Amino acid sequence: MKEYLNRIKSNAKTGEIIYWWILRALMIFAMIKGIVGLINGENDISDPLQVFGNLLAMFAWEVFMFMPEKTWARHVPSLVQDGLILMVFAASFCGKFLNFYYDVRWWDSGMHFLSGGLCVLAGYEVVIAMQKRDKKTISVPIALLCALGFSFFVSTLWELFEFTADQVMCNAATGAIGDAQHWCWTLAEGTPKAATLFDPKFTERWPLMDTMGDIVLNSIGALIAWVVLKFFPYHHKGKNDVNAMIEAELAKSAKKELSKRR
């Protein structure tokens, strides 16, 4: 355990760890409030459960650091968790707990737009982590294609998670609706959330338009981030060129092996 804690300290800055725990503490507060509200009959179990699930996601990088060094996750930088925690906090604490999804017109749309782009950057970091683990060079176009695919994969998983959560939480007997997808017209009517990216034509089509709007915004954010990386692949140029580092390391190892044979 001591080695594991030292690994976290050596791979993450003190300021990062403090930042993580400030947002986690607020999430724990929201979860406790949800449990109290459940006991008092003010909300259903979906509120604290959603916050709890998102809180667990905030520890992803620490889980990565617990894995063996041969796994790519061990080579993911703490910077990825900086972005992940902020997005989870904005979605769960601000969006759900503070009700920004319904009170702030562009909150949900902005979240999907930004997450699409951030997932491309996260996917790029995953590719670099795999390169460092395997000590393999890779062309920039392939790295960026993988990063783009990663973003679309994560975006799809998120929509599936929301759909599954609502299916599980919906209960006609108790009136629980789940609302992980924020699909409920009854809750949206009369709030800024009632407007969607596309005109639903009929209120019955509102949940579909809302979900499709999320997918479109995810895609636009991802494509913009892909274009930015195409012009500035920061891990594949200059002094941070991971390909050059790997080639130099392999050449050094080959030279050392050759000297041993002699």
Side-chain angles (χ1 to χ4, degrees), residues 124 127-128 131 136-144 146 236 241-243 246-247:
Y124 185 51
V127 171
I128 302 307
Q131 280 194 257
K136 299 286 186 181
T137 59
I138 188 174
S139 67
V140 175
I142 292 177
L144 299 190
C146 292
H236 288 95
D241 190 343
V242 68
N243 282 343
I246 291 172
E247 287 173 351

Side-chain angles (χ1 to χ4, degrees), residues 3 30 64-66 96 101 109 112-113 117 141 154 165 182 188 202 216 232 248:
E3 180 185 351
F64 288 169
M65 291 300 102
F66 191 76
K96 178 68 175 175
Y101 281 131
S109 299
H112 282 280
F113 174 76
V154 171
H182 321 297
F202 307 100
V216 168
F232 185 65

Side-chain angles (χ1 to χ4, degrees), residues 22-24 26-27 54 58 84-96 98 107 111:
I22 289 175
L23 298 190
R24 287 168 180 167
L26 290 170
M27 289 284 285
N54 287 313
M58 287 180 148
L84 171 65
I85 282 184
L86 183 61
M87 290 303 296
V88 170
F89 179 80
S92 186
F93 187 87
C94 299
K96 178 68 175 175
L98 298 180
W107 191 261
M111 288 291 302

Side-chain angles (χ1 to χ4, degrees), residues 6 55 75 106 135 147 163 228 240 253 259:
N6 288 333
L55 177 62
H75 301 273
W106 293 103
K135 293 181 172 55
F163 169 77
V228 171
N240 296 319
S253 298
S259 63

Side-chain angles (χ1 to χ4, degrees), residues 93-161:
F93 187 87
C94 299
K96 178 68 175 175
F97 181 68
L98 298 180
N99 206 41
F100 280 12
Y101 281 131
Y102 288 100
D103 292 340
V104 181
R105 167 66 185 94
W106 293 103
W107 191 261
D108 191 30
S109 299
M111 288 291 302
H112 282 280
F113 174 76
L114 290 174
S115 65
L118 287 174
C119 282
V120 168
L121 298 178
Y124 185 51
E125 293 291 347
V126 168
V127 171
I128 302 307
M130 290 181 173
Q131 280 194 257
K132 290 179 178 178
R133 178 198 63 181
D134 299 335
K135 293 181 172 55
K136 299 286 186 181
T137 59
I138 188 174
S139 67
V140 175
I142 292 177
L144 299 190
L145 179 62
C146 292
L148 185 65
F150 179 84
S151 178
F152 278 89
F153 175 65
V154 171
S155 297
T156 301
L157 279 183
W158 181 256
E159 294 298 330
L160 289 173
F161 164 75

Side-chain angles (χ1 to χ4, degrees), residues 68-88:
E69 192 170 359
K70 64 181 180 180
T71 60
W72 61 264
R74 270 287 301 277
H75 301 273
V76 172
S78 58
L79 179 65
V80 171
Q81 180 149 289
D82 293 343
L84 171 65
I85 282 184
L86 183 61
M87 290 303 296
V88 170

